[in-house]
Amino acid sequence: MALHEAQRIPRSTYRVQLNPQFTFADLQRRVGYLAKLGISDCYMSPILQPIPGSTHGYDVADYRRINPELGGEPAFLACAAELSSQGMGLLVDFVPNHMGISGPFNAWWNNVLENGRHSPYARFFDVNWRATESMERPRILVPVLEDHYGIVLEKGGLKLEYENGGLRIASGPLYFPLNAAAYSAVLARLSEDAALSGDDRQKLTELLQSFRQLEPGAYAWTSNPELPERLKELKTRLFSAVVGSETIRTRLTAHLDELNGKSGEAGSFDRLDQILSAQSFRLSRWKTGIYAVNYRRFFAVDTLIGLRIENPEVFLESHALIALLLKERKITGLRIDHIDGLWDPQQYLEQLQKLRAPSEVESGPAAPLYVVVEKILERGENLPSTWAMHGTTGYEFITQCAGLFTRAESRKELTRYYRDFTGENTDFSDLVYEKKRLVLGEMFVNTLTHLTAGLFLLLTEDRHWRDLTRAELAIALRELLAAFSVYRTYRRLGEPVADQDRALIEKAYLEAVRRNPRFDVHSFEIVRDVLTGEYPDRSDPPERREQIERWVLGLQQYSGAIMAKSVEDTAFYLYNRLIALNEVGGDPAEFGLSLEEFHAANRERAIQAPHSLLATSTHDNKLSEDVRARLYPLSELPEDWRLWLHEWRGLNQAHKTTLDGHPAPDSNEEFRLYQALLGAWPLGATEPDEDFRKRIREYFRKAVNEAKLNTTWVEPNEAWLDAGDKFIDRMLSPDTGRDFLASISAKAARLSHLGMVNSLTQTTLKLTCPGVPDFYQGNEVWDFSLVDPDNRRPVDFDAREQLLAQAEARDLRDLLLHWQDGAAKLRVVHRLLTFRADHPELFADGDYVPLEAAGQHAYHAVAFARRRGADRLVVVVPRQTARLGCPPIGLMWTDTTAVLARGTESAGEWREVISGRTIAPADRFALSELLADFPVAVLYSAQGATGE
């Protein structure tokens, strides 16, 4: 149920990336600028306590504390107060799916490591306790060691310490709490030390007996809720004994030194090994986690553990502070991170809506909380209609704009030129399937093993399926997951499978069978039937049906991560035909979007989710909005692009390095690199500086590692990476790349001019189409950032504030003549944001009416109207204008007109919002006049006929 009302609905949002270098106090100083710009709601990255040093905040370590590295609670409250004083709301990014567990900073997790399944927090985390090499005792795999456990141990890399009143094992900067077995082992030796006095020996002996009662025993698989408190009490008694006796302190240190062993004497580490083997966790080499980690991770990151947010206790504990801030109106809305990782997104969103202010509870039904979810929708996919939220974070709008700016007729040419240059001829859908199988076999092999084992045990209870082997199930499950065309399905416990999900599962089944004719189809059929709810049938006991449903819900939590890692973080870096289309939420195989499809998407959003965010740049983007805007015209200039590639290959061939008989970088990497250079090239530059070269080197290293072909993050090929650095440095150096620099700087200047027009169009559309326009920090002016961390560089707010004042004082022709300073874009943003503030209802629930263009260049015009009561808004922007001339203004539009539809006319004058000029009423507008001085126009009249 996409909501159409809320306690507060933003008119616009401005995303800021908070970090130790840009804190609450820094943001507070910029609130006035955001208000002047016309922003209604600030949109913060996560604000809760992450792992110290976090640059993004998605590794939350403490849900009950505001990040002290950002200034903590006092600074947050001061910033929130400043926002409130300016009449601005606050949307906060919240992370319900996972927590950060790197280091000793997550108290819940440390309690689990210390107490195992007896910890009150054991049920907070999504741990498969029975996925262990030993069934005697449940253990958690902790893959943090640089080398194999035995090697690290016998090199003295693991140290038993007594610090802060407790025993711990230290591994470099990391340390881990120990259970009662470790205390028993240490006290057994210490209590027999001849140097102790009788009183000290008596204290330690009594403590030893008490600790031994807490050691894992017959109840290992049964939770003992009293154990953690009892262990805490005994640790306090031990601390008192240690503090009270210098002899105990001295001899404890000596015994710990002895237990820690001596390098070169393998047997001296046996006792430490025994202590570690008795723990509730097992330290291992970091690579072991790929194959054996037994907890659900965020994507494939071992240090981000999945939360069981569906547990009411976990929900309450993790949302206590956020609920308080919502009730006190310090926060007015939430952006929910990675909704697809949750067990039951619908249930979670319903719980969120109960976090409301006390006054509203007293006065009756509360207005809903404004909530948007991070969700990638594939083409034709719809969010479940039952979700209590206002929409998504807007990735799909990026894709719609990309389609509008891409010339569909160039598809075959660009595909051929890409193939000729690189030798790549793989269809994108085939590439995605191949890379899904890759990540399932390398990054998610433990997930596949776990899911297979769970289903295998359930099916062996049925004599009809007990002959199906675990290997057959693993193959079927792998192939169906690889064939999924969406991130996940949304089956709920005790409910039938939705028609959309059923169709998607059937489609994946047919695709998997088609691609695997050599395998027995029965294993594919049973997995399909389990997913669709056809199996088991109603004759099975309810308990068994629920078990199988729970298995399905568990699988759904993983499919989105598998999709993301294989598509966004692998295939997008391998399929380089036009990288402007390789964007989060996009599909590089889709090439162009008809104007009718664009209008249809806007009309659908106006009806179904009018308050969904509209994004053009985000912190997750592969390329910023202005980089993409520069690259779309390559689809309009295919022959020029072919000639440029041929020229540049010849100029740069000598800069490559031969490794094992292959040139590095390879031609596909080179193809991507040229696009990245064109998109990010500094305005007006003929010779980029070292900062730009460094940015390109870092981007290229990330791209080739993500591609997982010639190098990977797990197994970096340093020779290949160094060859890429060398190639970039030589081609961008005035000494060795002068001819290339002269060539690419000229081409980049041409594309940047075209990109300017695309960006003005894109910005205007975002500010006038149905939805809430979202601005990523700094992108109110030109921003030519690449993928993170490049897009998280500091923003020069002083320069933007100064430019805002200048932009308002200049006429449009001057803004266009000196467009490189970014004032033209800033003028559009400011004028339209201010206009939205004056006419909120028009944008919140106004109709969207497509308008037709007529004349010679009608194809290149995008026109529509927004209508509410007597209010009329007409928007006219250009698209795909590379061959019209740049900028596309004035007489080049010849006889082209925008025709008003019935019910969008005005009885009075129109005011052009960006320029402020007036235009006489008419039933059509000549674009040569409407766009005489500027590429985009937005007309407003309050004298439309009502009752249309």
Side-chain angles (χ1 to χ4, degrees), residues 3-13 40-43 89-92 326 331-336 349 352-353 355 367-373 388-394 609-614 771-774:
L3 304 175
H4 287 237
E5 59 179 19
Q7 297 167 7
R8 177 189 175 94
I9 293 175
R11 295 190 310 271
S12 57
T13 58
S40 74
D41 289 67
C42 184
Y43 168 16
L90 176 55
L91 184 70
V92 167
L326 285 168
I331 294 174
T332 56
L334 292 175
R335 179 259 197 197
I336 303 303
L349 292 170
L352 271 189
Q353 290 300 333
L355 301 178
L369 170 68
Y370 182 75
V371 174
V372 290
V373 299
M389 49 90 214
H390 291 82
T392 72
T393 52
H611 310 308
S612 184
L613 293 188
L614 302 181
V772 177
D774 172 46

Side-chain angles (χ1 to χ4, degrees), residues 930-944:
L930 194 62
L931 306 180
D933 300 322
F934 206 63
V936 300
V938 179
L939 308 180
Y940 172 72
S941 175
Q943 299 183 54

Side-chain angles (χ1 to χ4, degrees), residues 286-287 290 300-301 442-443 565 568-570 573 622 697-718 721 787-789:
W286 67 273
K287 290 183 180 179
I290 298 171
V301 184
E442 293 186 3
M443 303 175 75
K565 294 307 294 183
E568 297 169 42
D569 295 340
T570 306
Y573 290 95
K622 305 301 182 185
R697 287 195 300 268
E698 291 176 349
Y699 168 77
F700 192 69
R701 279 182 165 247
K702 177 164 184 172
V704 295
N705 273 320
E706 294 282 28
K708 304 173 185 65
L709 185 63
N710 296 308
T711 178
T712 69
W713 295 114
V714 176
E715 296 287 353
N717 183 341
E718 291 299 337
L721 295 169
V787 72
D788 68 279

Side-chain angles (χ1 to χ4, degrees), residues 19-199:
N19 57 65
Q21 286 70 52
F22 189 79
T23 64
F24 295 126
D26 296 315
L27 174 58
Q28 184 180 348
R29 288 190 287 271
R30 304 302 178 182
V31 169
Y33 162 69
L34 297 181
K36 278 189 246 178
L37 186 60
I39 297 295
S40 74
D41 289 67
C42 184
Y43 168 16
M44 289 183 183
S45 59
I47 65 172
L48 301 182
Q49 169 71 70
I51 300 300
S54 174
T55 60
H56 48 74
Y58 287 99
D59 46 353
V60 179
D62 189 345
Y63 279 104
R64 289 182 171 268
R65 188 182 186 199
I66 293 176
N67 188 354
E69 292 186 335
L70 303 180
E73 183 177 351
F76 169 77
L77 293 177
C79 186
E82 180 65 21
L83 287 166
S84 180
S85 73
Q86 295 281 358
M88 297 175 67
L90 176 55
L91 184 70
V92 167
D93 196 340
F94 187 76
V95 187
N97 175 68
H98 55 270
M99 291 188 80
I101 55 173
S102 178
F105 310 106
N106 188 322
W108 294 354
W109 181 242
N110 279 339
N111 195 291
V112 175
L113 292 179
E114 182 177 64
N115 296 291
R117 293 183 73 247
H118 310 297
S119 168
Y121 302 105
R123 57 185 175 273
F124 279 41
F125 300 105
D126 207 346
V127 178
N128 180 18
W129 290 96
R130 294 199 177 264
T132 175
E133 73 286 353
S134 170
M135 294 305 292
E136 297 176 2
R137 182 168 39 84
R139 302 178 77 189
I140 301 171
L141 187 78
V142 181
V144 295
L145 305 180
E146 287 299 313
D147 208 334
H148 290 273
Y149 165 78
I151 294 173
V152 173
L153 178 72
E154 293 179 14
K155 283 184 176 180
L158 300 174
K159 296 291 185 182
L160 187 59
E161 300 176 347
Y162 185 79
E163 292 286 343
N164 301 319
L167 288 171
R168 68 186 191 186
I169 195 72
S171 175
L174 304 177
Y175 54 87
F176 306 89
L178 300 177
N179 66 12
Y183 290 86
S184 298
V186 171
L187 289 175
R189 299 175 61 81
L190 181 60
S191 63
E192 296 176 357
D193 195 306
L196 295 179
S197 68
D199 286 344

Side-chain angles (χ1 to χ4, degrees), residues 548-779:
I548 292 177
E549 283 185 20
R550 287 184 175 278
W551 180 88
V552 173
L553 268 64
L555 177 140
Q556 290 180 147
Q557 290 182 277
Y558 288 103
S559 64
I562 293 164
M563 182 81 152
K565 294 307 294 183
S566 56
V567 178
E568 297 169 42
D569 295 340
T570 306
F572 275 9
Y573 290 95
L574 283 166
Y575 191 82
N576 298 321
R577 179 178 60 182
L578 183 59
I579 64 173
L581 305 181
N582 298 20
E583 194 49 81
V584 178
D587 183 352
E590 297 291 339
F591 207 90
L593 186 75
S594 72
L595 189 55
E596 292 73 21
E597 289 174 308
F598 180 76
H599 285 317
N602 282 317
R603 296 185 77 170
E604 178 72 11
R605 191 184 318 109
I607 296 169
Q608 298 297 335
H611 310 308
S612 184
L613 293 188
L614 302 181
T616 45
S617 280
T618 76
H619 64 284
D620 283 327
N621 274 153
K622 305 301 182 185
L623 302 170
S624 74
E625 61 191 64
D626 292 324
V627 170
R628 297 193 310 272
R630 287 178 170 185
L631 295 179
Y632 297 134
L634 292 177
S635 69
E636 302 177 69
L637 306 168
E639 183 59 23
D640 295 47
W641 176 228
R642 183 186 69 81
L643 294 174
W644 300 352
L645 289 167
H646 180 75
E647 176 191 2
W648 296 341
R649 168 176 267 178
L651 290 173
N652 294 321
Q653 190 66 32
H655 303 325
K656 292 195 174 186
T657 303
T658 301
L659 296 174
D660 296 327
H662 300 285
D666 68 25
S667 57
N668 196 28
E669 294 164 348
E670 183 182 4
F671 197 90
R672 164 178 283 272
L673 179 58
Y674 292 143
Q675 293 179 72
L677 287 170
L678 289 170
W681 198 265
L683 283 167
T686 55
E687 296 179 2
D689 59 17
E690 174 54 27
D691 178 66
F692 180 76
R693 288 194 292 270
K694 180 181 178 184
R695 289 174 55 208
I696 295 298
R697 287 195 300 268
E698 291 176 349
Y699 168 77
F700 192 69
R701 279 182 165 247
K702 177 164 184 172
V704 295
N705 273 320
E706 294 282 28
K708 304 173 185 65
L709 185 63
N710 296 308
T711 178
T712 69
W713 295 114
V714 176
E715 296 287 353
N717 183 341
E718 291 299 337
W720 196 274
L721 295 169
D722 290 343
D725 290 346
K726 176 183 172 184
F727 183 71
I728 291 166
D729 284 340
R730 288 188 174 183
M731 69 194 292
L732 297 183
S733 167
D735 296 331
T736 53
R738 184 166 300 279
D739 290 342
F740 173 70
L741 290 175
S743 177
I744 195 170
S745 61
K747 276 72 170 179
R750 181 182 178 189
L751 288 184
S752 66
H753 212 176
L754 296 170
M756 174 269 292
V757 176
N758 281 344
S759 185
L760 293 178
T761 291
Q762 184 171 245
T763 302
T764 303
L765 291 174
K766 179 170 69 174
L767 283 158
T768 55
C769 285
V772 177
D774 172 46
F775 291 85
Y776 181 65
Q777 58 181 29
N779 281 247

